[in-house]
Amino acid sequence: MDTPRRRLIALCAVQFVDVMGVTVVVSALPRMIADLGGSPAQAGLLVPVYAVGFSSLLLLAARLGDQYGHRRGLIAGLVLFAAGSVVAAAAPAMTFLVTGRALQGVAAAISVPNALVLLARTAGSGADRDRALGIWNATGGLAGAAGLLIGGLTTSAMSWRAIFWGNLVLTAILVAALLGLVQRDEPPTRTSPRIDLRSVVLQVTAVAAIVAAANTSAKTWPIPTALGLTTIVTTVLLIRRERRTTQPLVPADLWRPGLVAGLLGSFGVTATTSSLVVIATIYLQDTGGFSPAEAGLMILPFSGAVAIGAGTAGRLMSRRRPRQLLVGGLLLILAGAAVATIWSSTGSLATGLVLAGLGNGAGAVAAYGLGTAVPPDQQGSAAGLLNTAAQIGTATMVAATVAIATVTAQDRRLDYRSGWLTVVGTALVILLAVVGITRTGGEKATAASGDSGCGGRIPRR
């Protein structure tokens, strides 16, 4: 196997390990509570604390990668992920386990955008870059669903601690591989612009608050309300600060219609399909009578469809406009959620998951293609924004969808139909927004991308 292919596999493996970290503990939560004597409230922090660390620091990590080197950032993130895995694996109490998960979330935020930039740069331009993005997004789609299955099987066969020891082994292998496969960064230049500290604090606070608000939406109203107000206030202050500072966290010229459409697509694709998969997993166990491991196996067709959709989109990107692929992906997700909503049976759910998986793969590739068509020195910022949008989509909409299904429930079981209907509505809103932005800004975006430095290739919107 040649070096470029090994490099591609290693960088996508980073995406797999970090994205899988969001869901891998879900099936193990009951065993963790029993072994460590923790409360359900403490165990309930294990998913959100990872998501908050992951989503809130992605943009900062990407900017630091632009400034100090993406290889350095990637290796630092993997080392920190290994440290978090050790803390979690050896945790004597639930507090240590939560701390380890928080470290892993921060580490994932550092690793993923830097790995994406390295992948896009080493893949070159044109069809090779599109195929690499297809593989990258297919890996992410597989990872989220695989986490549910791997977590359940590992916990049943061995112990939940084996999940984290396994992460440590994988991380060590990745570090060793990447040190040999990825070219060293250039020395940091003294002329590199500094990052505005106020913007960083406001951005991290805003993202952390919105993710925390979504994940506490089922609690008494003062908590999510306070977090929601914090999100609004800090977002307004962040926008004002970014307009006034000479060292913005996101360069002003990066805000092009193509990037905005890519951000909406990245948010929408993960928000809808993650919510659909989570509600489907609960449905299969509560109504279908499946065990956690069996429910995880039932989700595998979704993962396979993600891989097919991403691979197909990667090949079509050179012949079709990214806008068309993104719209098509959102339509497939909308159709899949509609099938599950209308018929609500195991068979129709499987069909809906396959359709949504195809839409996830195609839509994610198109969103990243739109969003990363920027000059090389801005690709880190673009990658950070795209990953932030994706993680916010997952962290907020899964919690919101489950909360809606809980509130509308007639008995102790979730109202699955209202949950899937929420996915339909979200997909429709995102679809209309993407169509509107790309129609009104398409010509301007294409012209702006003509000198983007992306191998001379002008992306078609």
Side-chain angles (χ1 to χ4, degrees):
M1 187 183 297
D2 56 9
T3 298
R5 185 171 298 181
R6 292 200 301 269
R7 186 186 302 119
L8 173 63
I9 292 172
L11 291 170
C12 287
V14 174
Q15 162 90 326
F16 185 89
V17 172
D18 287 338
V19 174
M20 184 180 67
V22 179
T23 58
V24 74
V25 301
V26 172
S27 301
L29 290 178
R31 191 73 60 84
M32 291 173 174
I33 295 174
D35 289 353
L36 299 178
S39 66
Q42 288 177 311
L45 291 173
L46 293 176
V47 174
V49 75
Y50 188 100
V52 167
F54 196 176
S55 57
S56 63
L57 294 173
L58 278 163
L59 183 55
L60 173 61
R63 289 285 283 114
L64 291 173
D66 281 341
Q67 186 167 344
Y68 296 108
H70 296 290
R71 182 179 184 265
R72 294 186 186 93
L74 174 56
I75 298 302
L78 289 172
V79 171
L80 183 59
F81 193 88
S85 298
V86 172
V87 172
M94 191 65 74
T95 303
F96 287 87
L97 185 55
V98 172
T99 301
R101 288 283 291 169
L103 288 174
Q104 285 186 319
V106 172
I110 298 171
S111 303
V112 167
N114 287 299
L116 176 57
V117 172
L118 290 170
L119 177 139
R121 289 183 180 177
T122 56
S125 60
D128 289 340
R129 180 175 179 273
D130 293 336
R131 280 193 292 270
L133 286 175
I135 297 171
W136 171 271
N137 286 288
T139 302
L142 288 168
L148 297 170
L149 177 61
I150 292 173
L153 293 176
T154 302
T155 302
S156 299
M158 293 178 284
S159 165
W160 59 265
R161 296 183 188 273
I163 296 172
F164 300 107
W165 290 125
N167 281 338
L168 179 62
V169 174
L170 288 174
T171 304
I173 294 172
L174 283 175
V175 169
L178 291 167
L179 285 174
L181 293 172
V182 179
Q183 186 177 0
R184 290 178 178 271
D185 297 309
E186 295 294 331
T189 61
R190 294 184 178 181
T191 58
S192 297
R194 295 182 178 179
I195 298 173
D196 186 82
L197 184 59
R198 295 184 191 177
S199 291
V200 170
V201 172
L202 289 169
Q203 182 266 316
V204 171
T205 304
V207 174
I210 191 173
V211 173
N215 282 275
T216 57
S217 57
K219 298 185 181 296
T220 55
W221 69 267
I223 298 175
T225 301
L227 290 169
L229 290 174
T230 300
T231 301
I232 295 171
V233 172
T234 51
T235 301
V236 171
L237 292 175
L238 175 61
I239 293 172
R240 290 182 59 187
R241 182 63 187 174
E242 286 284 278
R243 287 180 175 179
R244 294 178 179 180
T245 183
T246 59
Q247 301 165 344
L249 192 58
V250 180
D253 60 348
L254 192 60
W255 293 108
R256 301 167 181 171
L259 175 66
V260 175
L263 291 175
L264 282 171
S266 187
F267 174 92
V269 165
T270 59
T272 52
T273 55
S274 296
S275 300
L276 181 64
V277 167
V278 169
I279 295 293
T281 302
I282 300 172
Y283 172 85
L284 290 169
Q285 294 180 61
D286 283 357
T287 303
F290 293 93
S291 68
E294 290 170 338
L297 288 171
M298 289 291 293
I299 301 298
L300 284 182
F302 168 83
S303 300
V306 171
I308 294 171
T312 302
R315 290 191 294 272
L316 291 176
M317 283 275 280
S318 60
R319 303 193 298 274
R320 294 288 186 271
R321 295 181 179 181
R323 171 186 178 273
Q324 294 174 332
L325 292 174
L326 178 54
V327 169
L330 290 169
L331 284 172
L332 283 170
I333 294 171
L334 178 60
V339 168
T341 304
I342 295 171
W343 286 283
S344 296
S345 66
T346 302
S348 62
L349 179 57
T351 301
L353 287 171
V354 169
L355 290 172
L358 293 171
N360 177 295
V365 171
Y368 275 72
L370 282 168
T372 57
V374 297
D377 62 341
Q378 293 182 345
Q379 286 187 350
S381 297
L385 284 168
L386 289 163
N387 280 287
T388 298
Q391 292 306 315
I392 291 176
T394 298
T396 57
M397 285 309 301
V398 168
T401 302
V402 172
I404 291 171
T406 302
V407 169
T408 57
Q410 298 295 325
D411 51 27
R412 293 184 178 182
R413 291 181 176 176
L414 295 181
D415 183 354
Y416 307 105
R417 184 169 274 118
S418 69
W420 291 322
L421 190 59
T422 302
V423 176
V424 172
T426 304
L428 181 60
V429 170
I430 297 296
L431 174 62
L432 294 175
V434 167
V435 170
I437 289 172
T438 52
R439 275 186 176 176
T440 58
E443 293 182 4
K444 182 179 179 181
T446 302
S449 300
D451 57 353
S452 66
C454 297
R457 176 170 175 256
I458 301 176
R460 294 175 297 168
R461 307 297 177 197

